[in-house]
Each structure stands twice: as structure tokens, then as C-alpha cells.
Amino acid sequence: MPEEWQVELSKSVNSPDELARFIPLSPAELRRMRRVVGVYPMRISPHYLTLIREKNGPLWKQMVPDIKELRDKNSPEDPLHEDTMSPVPNLTHRYPDRVLFLVSSECAAYCRFCTRKRKVGKPYIIRPRWIREGLRYIESTSSVRDVILSGGDPLLLSDAKLEFLLKSLRRIRHVEIVRIGTRVPCTFPQRITQKLCRVLKRYHPLFVNVHFNHPDELTSEARTACEMLSDAGIPLGNQTVLLKGVNDDAETLRSLFCGLLRMRVRPYYLYQCDLTRGTRHFRTRVEKGIEIINKLRGHISGLAIPHFVIDAPGGGGKIPLLPEY
Ligand SMILES: *Cc1c(COP(=O)(O)O)cnc(C)c1O
Ligand code: SF4
């Protein structure tokens, strides 16, 4: 029997033609979107669809396919060299003490600016054999004390699969903390069930990083989802991607970061948009982020201000960018 959230997820919009049933689209718009979806899959969860109010608005831009994605042929597919720094497929070991472990290729909504555009929505990317190999790698590498489960979205795994992963990691003595990176509290809050929280709280110390990009995403449903996770004892951080035409101004980000704190979510990183192929139209100049952080500093609580970082192309890791004081 599928769970309620799985039934709800099956009502997602997966094609331009389905989208046209909710929002009028011209034949030319439809044609262009169909071409994009042939390369990069589309999915918009029912919850996120209800939040999209205007065509070309900040939420629309994040999730609705845009022909510009196909006009960015010179950018690299894997600018962070995640795949070359992988001792086993889908596990990136870049920093000595922590690994990034991709355990799901599915998300509740496919963000058009995704760094892992080359992988998300492609089920063959994650094979059970590689999950086992990843676990074995972590077990045999005693320098790893921090495991970051990512994807795709790890919380789109069933509770049973997730529990298997967490239990396997907890059996490894040198793994001190586990983190989960997920966008479901924003895009698909129905996934945060009491049953899920009961599973998660058995595997502390567990940290969750959520992903909100715009104050319009801070709905009462998202708040409830975050509160349930917090009440399960999980510290919540937030990652935001700086996106042109979506959130690249100080007022929008001030409102987002203060709103997150009110939901007990601590802003952790603000990312410069990576060089990933198909995302060029989202990229701001690096100075833009510095200028915004500069405007926020001193005006809002220091707790509300994330680190502005750029993930160095070529796999150099995250570099913090600071205004000159
Ligand atoms: C971001 C990242 C991490 C985690 O970095 P923190 O700064 O500790 O949050 C680990 N591994 C990889 C490959 C990453 O990209
Ligand atoms: S939720 Fe994360 S992994 Fe999934 S498409 Fe969005 S940015 Fe990419």
C-alpha cells in the first residue's frame, strides 16, 4: 500500500501539457517547453504548483522549463568535478573528514538551476549496488566522521530505505554525524510525516539542511514541516542559491532569512550559482552576492546571515566570499 504522501506525489505535474491544464500556455510556449523536457526532466509537486502565482515570477522561474536551458552549450555538465572525485559512483570525497553520498535521483520538484542537472530525475543513476559500495567505502575509511546524504532528495526514499541507510551508517563507529540535504520541507511538506520523524529521531546526531530560495516559499505547511523536524530534535540549516530574477536583491533575502529564523531554521549557506550547463541565465555576478551580504550585515540579526560561498569550479571546494570591511 502506498503511503498518503506517495499518492500525493503522484499528482505532480510532469510535463508542459499537464502544466497547461492549470496555467494557460501558448502553442509556442508549449513547443519550447517540450524541447527542454526532452533533455532535462520536469516535475512540480502539487504544493509548489499552488504557490506559483505569476508567469515568469520568482517561483515560476525556479521550476518551469525555459528554452534558455538549451542555449548554454559551453558550460560544463559537472563543474565541481563531483564525479571525478568519487571513489565509488555517487559518493564524493573532497574534504578529509566528510563525504557527499547521493542516495536518490528523485526530487519532489526539479529546480531548473540544479547543480546536478545531469543526474536528477534519472532513476538509473542510483543503483542498489552503488549504495552498498558507498556504505562499504565509508566503513573502510576511518577519516570519515560526517556523512551528507543528498541526491536528488533523500527524503523521497521510503521510510524503510531511509532507515536502512541510517541504521547502516550508525553501525560504523567512526561516523559521528549524519546530515540530510532535502528540499521537501519547501516543495513537498506533506512528506514530513510523524512516522518519518519517529524514524529520524532514532539516529541522532542527525542534522537536516533544507533549501528555501524565496519568502513566498515560507508557507504555513512548510512551517509545520520544519517544526516537526525541529521537534524531533533535528537542528535545521538552510541553503539558498542566489538566482538572477528570483532572489538577487537585499530586500527579498532579508525577508527570506528573517522568515526562516522565525521557523527555527538557521540560514547556513548562500551559494553563488554554479557553472552547470543549462543554468547560465540564473547566474549573477559574484559582486552581487557580496553587495547583498554587505547590505544585510548590521541591519539584521547575525543569526540570519548565511555564509556566502562559491563552490570552486574543478572541485576546489567551497570558498567563502566576504565584503571588505
Ligand atoms: C558542500 C560539501 C560538503 C559539506 O561542506 P560543509 O562546509 O561541511 O557543509 C562536503 N562534501 C562536498 C563534496 C560538498 O560539496
Ligand atoms: S531539490 Fe535539490 S537536487 Fe533536486 S532539483 Fe532542486 S536543487 Fe536539484
Side-chain angles (χ1 to χ4, degrees), residues 82 92 94-95 98-100 146 148 179 268-269 271 311 318:
E82 287 185 334
T92 303
R94 175 173 300 147
Y95 304 101
R98 48 208 192 272
V99 293
L100 177 73
D146 176 358
I148 300 156
R179 302 192 238 178
Y268 178 50
Y269 280 141
Y271 286 101
D311 224 327
K318 294 180 186 68

Side-chain angles (χ1 to χ4, degrees), residues 57-102:
L59 274 49
W60 170 285
K61 282 184 180 163
Q62 289 188 61
M63 296 302 174
V64 178
D66 187 321
I67 194 72
K68 294 191 195 94
E69 295 170 46
L70 301 183
R71 295 192 182 134
D72 178 20
K73 294 205 168 60
N74 295 325
S75 302
E77 277 203 286
D78 178 18
L80 309 181
H81 289 197
E82 287 185 334
D83 291 339
T84 46
M85 298 175 103
S86 291
V88 299
N90 298 317
L91 183 143
T92 303
H93 195 175
R94 175 173 300 147
Y95 304 101
D97 71 329
R98 48 208 192 272
V99 293
L100 177 73
F101 190 10
L102 310 186

Side-chain angles (χ1 to χ4, degrees), residues 131 163 167 196 228 252 301 312 324:
I131 300 271
E163 176 142 40
K167 193 179 272 175
L196 173 70
M228 286 167 71
T252 302
S301 153
E324 283 181 46

